[in-house]
Amino acid sequence: AQSVSQHNHHVILSEAASLELGCNYSYGGTVNLFWYVQYPGQHLQLLLKYFSGDPLVKGIKGFEAEFIKSKFSFNLRKPSVQWSDTAEYFCAVNPYTGGFKTIFGAGTRLFVKA
Amino acid sequence: SAVISQKPSRDICQRGTSLTIQCQVDSQVTMMFWYRQQPGQSLTLIATANQGSEATYESGFVIDKFPISRPNLTFSTLTVSNMSPEDSSIYLCSETQGTEAFFGQGTRLTVV
């Protein structure tokens, strides 16, 4: 079965620190990849997505992610975090099987100290 | 983008009772999805709600416990039946446009 693994469950950073959240998936076929963010008390929203083309994708709020097919990875990065980035981040995979089911990782809870 | 409305936003229920959660989307969609997000955990897909046919349940979820209705292309309900404290969770309705998933605010259910 397809699965998504996120390497860190909790991350604590100071403002202006760099962020990298790891994500690996297990599926041998074509996939669409996503990072979702859930700010405290809010619903899930899309941060960025990869379908095809340039493996380095840029999302909202200065986030970017790199798809490395050989490593089945889709790590999220931000050069300089802000207090407002405190949230939970979910990596997700949609295997291109036509079922449009989205499979989520366990999530990484990020806390940014002001 | 999509606008998804869920009702109720939260509820506290007695064990043994049932709760029906409603989900309304602002455009016609073929498939809607129901997820559960237990405390401190990720989203787990419960089932895919297809208009005009029975819902497709994921491993570990059964129709008797989580009956789903899908009367038209913009609406679906999920019922959590015979509730126990283990059912305390956030239940989320979702739909996809292309392969991007959009989510409602969720229903926070507490079973006492």
Side-chain angles (χ1 to χ4, degrees):
Chain A
Q2 302 100 7
S3 66
V4 179
S5 300
Q6 291 185 237
H7 306 162
N8 314 95
H9 295 295
H10 293 91
V11 174
I12 301 174
L13 295 172
S14 298
E15 276 196 311
S18 64
L19 170 73
E20 180 159 4
L21 302 181
C23 173
N24 287 89
Y25 64 93
S26 64
Y27 183 71
T30 303
V31 295
N32 299 310
L33 298 158
F34 308 85
W35 276 95
Y36 285 86
V37 60
Q38 188 171 28
Y39 296 103
Q42 298 188 26
H43 64 279
L44 276 167
Q45 52 188 286
L46 183 69
L47 201 55
L48 49 78
K49 60 187 176 185
Y50 172 80
F51 287 175
S52 64
D54 189 343
L56 184 63
V57 292
K58 295 189 184 301
I60 60 172
K61 304 186 180 185
F63 285 90
E64 64 179 32
E66 184 176 13
F67 170 52
I68 303 179
K69 188 174 181 180
S70 61
K71 295 184 178 180
F72 298 90
S73 70
F74 190 56
N75 293 353
L76 180 71
R77 298 195 291 251
K78 185 170 183 178
S80 175
V81 296
Q82 301 173 311
W83 175 81
S84 58
D85 293 324
T86 295
E88 190 155 17
Y89 294 81
F90 295 94
C91 181
V93 169
N94 188 308
Y96 199 68
T97 59
F100 302 113
K101 293 190 295 187
T102 304
I103 301 163
F104 287 83
T108 298
R109 198 176 292 269
L110 171 66
F111 180 73
V112 180
K113 297 183 291 185
Chain B
S1 64
V3 176
I4 303 174
S5 303
Q6 271 185 248
K7 291 194 295 186
S9 58
R10 58 179 64 231
D11 207 342
I12 301 173
C13 300
Q14 295 289 328
R15 65 181 69 197
T17 62
S18 297
L19 175 72
T20 295
I21 303 167
Q22 299 179 4
C23 178
Q24 178 80 49
V25 300
D26 65 342
S27 59
Q28 294 185 339
V29 294
T30 305
M31 289 182 286
M32 295 172 69
F33 303 89
W34 287 98
Y35 287 85
R36 181 174 71 183
Q37 186 177 18
Q38 293 181 300
Q41 297 187 30
S42 185
L43 285 78
T44 302
L45 182 63
I46 298 172
T48 303
N50 307 302
Q51 199 274 330
S53 64
E54 280 200 3
T56 305
Y57 289 83
E58 298 298 306
S59 175
F61 298 95
V62 295
I63 187 171
D64 290 346
K65 176 67 176 177
F66 297 102
I68 287 171
S69 79
R70 184 78 199 277
N72 58 52
L73 291 173
T74 63
F75 188 79
S76 177
T77 68
L78 170 76
T79 299
V80 186
S81 303
N82 189 24
M83 288 183 284
S84 67
E86 291 72 34
D87 294 320
S88 296
S89 185
I90 297 173
Y91 292 86
L92 293 136
C93 172
S94 171
E95 61 101 346
T96 57
Q97 293 184 5
T99 56
E100 180 177 337
F102 296 90
F103 294 88
Q105 293 269 17
T107 296
R108 185 179 294 273
L109 170 62
T110 303
V111 183
V112 297

